[in-house]
Amino acid sequence: GWKDAISTTIINFNNEKMQITWAAKELFPVENVSFSYTFDEGKHKVWKPCPTYLLDQDYNSGCLFKTEGPTLAISIRNSNGSEELFSKRLKSDFYIKPNRPENVTFFWKEDTVTVSCNKPERAVKCLRLELQYKSKFDKDWQSRTSKCCSVGEQGFDPRKCYSFRVRLKRLVPYCNVVNYSSDWEAETFWMNGTLLDSCDDDTKSQSHTVIVLSCLLAVLLMILILLILLCKWQRLQKSVMPAIPDPKYIFADLFNDHNGNFQEWIDKTDHAMVQTKLEYEEPEGIIEAESQQENEKNSDKQGPQEKIISFSRAAENNDPKAAQIACLMPTSNTIASFAGFQILMNDDMYVML
């Protein structure tokens, strides 16, 4: 009964290697035990010593050897092999731990992900492919299991980054007496069908995008503020220091026809205006001449008197050439009214009042 109470751990790695371990210090604290095994059946068994021992503080705590058949018998003896301390007979196929899935591929179609791997060479019916995933917002893994060697799941958000991992499992109790699964395949990170190095890259890319957009908005805001200040400065500048008009636009003929020669321009302009005024004022000049003769007759009788000349409509409109007409009239003691001024003319002299 004591021999049957010893606890051992038996693992058949993909039906290639066997590993059997026991608690050495608790079970055999006095001596270092030895291990032997055989895959033969019947009376003619050939026991083989352990080729590779596993140690726990210099005590033999396990044995690693090659799998050679479906039926296994093991024996643990004292250090010199004279006394058997534990023995067991078992089916090695019921303790298989599969290898990791090979050539894992991910297929994305909208919100559905299908994961597949290569089929193992044997015992495919005893295997299941397990898929686990979680987003950066999930605390626990979500799991989905399907027949080897393809599994699919729906409902993935293309805006989220997901972590994926897969492994192979043995069916219990039909194929294994112990629930053994393979080690997890390397974890991968996906977002909307794109493989990433990690989900932190997604967070960094989003933060980088936010920073870039913030900088662009700040630059646009600064440009807008500068434009507003520029407009206000121009208005202030116009109100404080009004712009001086360019004379070339007001006196276009001075610069275009006379190349800025003021004397030539004023002479030609005065000559043209005098001729125009004289032609225009000719009827009035005749009337004024007649009235002037009458006044001269009266002046001969009554003495020298001042005469007021009524200018044409052009003079009343402040025409600068109207004064020239007054100056040309050889009348003594004459008062001319022009643009709000009075011009007193006596012989060759004239005074503006």
Side-chain angles (χ1 to χ4, degrees):
W2 177 76
K3 292 182 180 181
D4 295 335
I6 294 178
S7 177
T8 58
T9 301
I10 304 169
I11 303 176
N12 183 358
F13 293 101
N14 200 39
N15 212 21
E16 296 173 357
K17 287 185 177 181
M18 296 290 303
Q19 175 181 292
I20 300 177
T21 58
W22 56 88
K25 292 185 65 175
E26 289 79 2
L27 296 174
F28 313 108
V30 179
E31 58 182 337
N32 204 359
V33 298
S34 61
F35 179 87
S36 59
Y37 69 96
T38 181
F39 286 94
D40 298 329
E41 298 182 11
K43 295 180 180 180
H44 304 286
K45 295 179 182 179
V46 178
W47 291 90
K48 299 180 181 179
C50 178
T52 305
Y53 278 104
L54 304 178
L55 301 179
D56 180 14
Q57 298 181 5
D58 296 332
Y59 282 89
N60 295 335
S61 61
C63 182
L64 186 64
F65 53 95
K66 184 178 178 180
T67 304
E68 299 176 359
T71 303
L72 173 64
I74 61 175
S75 176
I76 298 177
R77 296 175 177 269
N78 58 5
S79 57
N80 57 15
S82 60
E83 180 183 1
E84 186 178 71
L85 303 177
F86 173 77
S87 64
K88 188 173 184 179
R89 183 182 175 91
L90 55 96
K91 290 286 186 180
S92 61
D93 293 344
F94 287 168
Y95 295 88
I96 293 178
K97 179 179 181 179
N99 289 340
R100 293 178 178 178
E102 297 179 355
N103 193 22
V104 178
T105 58
F106 289 79
F107 176 75
W108 288 75
K109 185 177 181 181
E110 297 179 353
D111 67 337
T112 303
V113 178
T114 303
V115 183
S116 58
C117 66
N118 289 346
K119 289 185 178 181
E121 297 179 357
R122 51 191 172 184
V124 178
K125 294 182 179 180
C126 290
L127 295 175
R128 293 292 181 268
L129 182 63
E130 182 182 9
L131 169 67
Q132 286 191 348
Y133 61 90
K134 68 176 180 179
S135 71
K136 57 184 179 181
F137 304 102
D138 300 326
K139 293 182 179 180
D140 300 324
W141 290 93
Q142 307 294 322
S143 183
R144 179 68 182 270
T145 304
S146 182
K147 292 182 179 180
C148 187
C149 292
S150 179
V151 59
E153 184 64 22
Q154 296 178 341
F156 290 96
D157 190 343
R159 297 170 297 180
K160 294 181 180 180
C161 177
Y162 291 90
S163 303
F164 291 91
R165 62 182 185 181
V166 292
R167 66 179 178 180
L168 290 173
K169 298 179 65 176
R170 289 275 294 185
L171 286 178
V172 178
Y174 305 103
C175 299
N176 262 34
V177 296
V178 182
N179 189 11
Y180 281 150
S181 301
S182 70
D183 295 334
W184 289 105
E185 180 64 13
E187 187 174 347
T188 56
F189 306 92
W190 295 80
M191 180 177 179
N192 196 19
T194 302
L195 180 63
L196 303 177
D197 292 335
S198 68
C199 283
D200 295 334
D201 295 341
D202 174 48
T203 305
K204 292 179 181 178
S205 63
Q206 290 181 354
S207 61
H208 179 70
T209 304
V210 171
I211 292 173
V212 172
L213 291 177
S214 301
C215 292
L216 289 177
L217 289 176
V219 171
L220 292 176
L221 183 60
M222 290 293 295
I223 293 174
L224 180 61
I225 293 174
L226 290 176
L227 290 176
I228 294 174
L229 293 177
L230 181 61
C231 293
K232 290 187 175 181
W233 169 251
Q234 289 179 349
R235 290 181 182 178
L236 180 63
Q237 191 176 21
K238 287 182 180 179
S239 62
V240 175
M241 296 180 293
I244 301 174
D246 194 342
K248 71 178 181 180
Y249 297 109
I250 302 175
F251 306 99
D253 53 346
L254 172 63
F255 295 96
N256 295 335
D257 300 337
H258 303 283
N259 295 324
N261 191 331
F262 180 78
Q263 187 63 42
E264 180 183 343
W265 172 76
I266 195 66
D267 292 343
K268 187 173 181 180
T269 304
D270 290 345
H271 179 68
M273 292 187 67
V274 168
Q275 288 183 349
T276 304
K277 292 293 182 179
L278 289 176
E279 292 176 359
Y280 181 75
E281 298 291 343
E282 185 175 359
E284 292 187 7
I286 296 173
I287 298 173
E288 290 179 359
E290 293 177 354
S291 62
Q292 194 173 20
Q293 291 177 0
E294 294 178 358
N295 292 332
E296 287 178 355
K297 292 179 180 181
N298 296 329
S299 64
D300 292 338
K301 297 177 180 180
Q302 299 178 3
Q305 293 180 355
E306 293 181 350
K307 297 181 180 179
I308 299 175
I309 299 176
S310 175
F311 286 91
S312 64
R313 185 180 302 171
E316 293 176 357
N317 293 333
N318 300 332
D319 193 335
K321 298 302 179 179
Q324 294 180 356
I325 299 174
C327 294
L328 293 174
M329 298 183 66
T331 304
S332 62
N333 297 331
T334 303
I335 295 177
S337 177
F338 166 68
F341 298 94
Q342 288 184 343
I343 304 174
L344 174 65
M345 287 178 256
N346 185 7
D347 295 335
D348 294 336
M349 297 178 61
Y350 60 90
V351 179
M352 180 178 291
L353 302 178

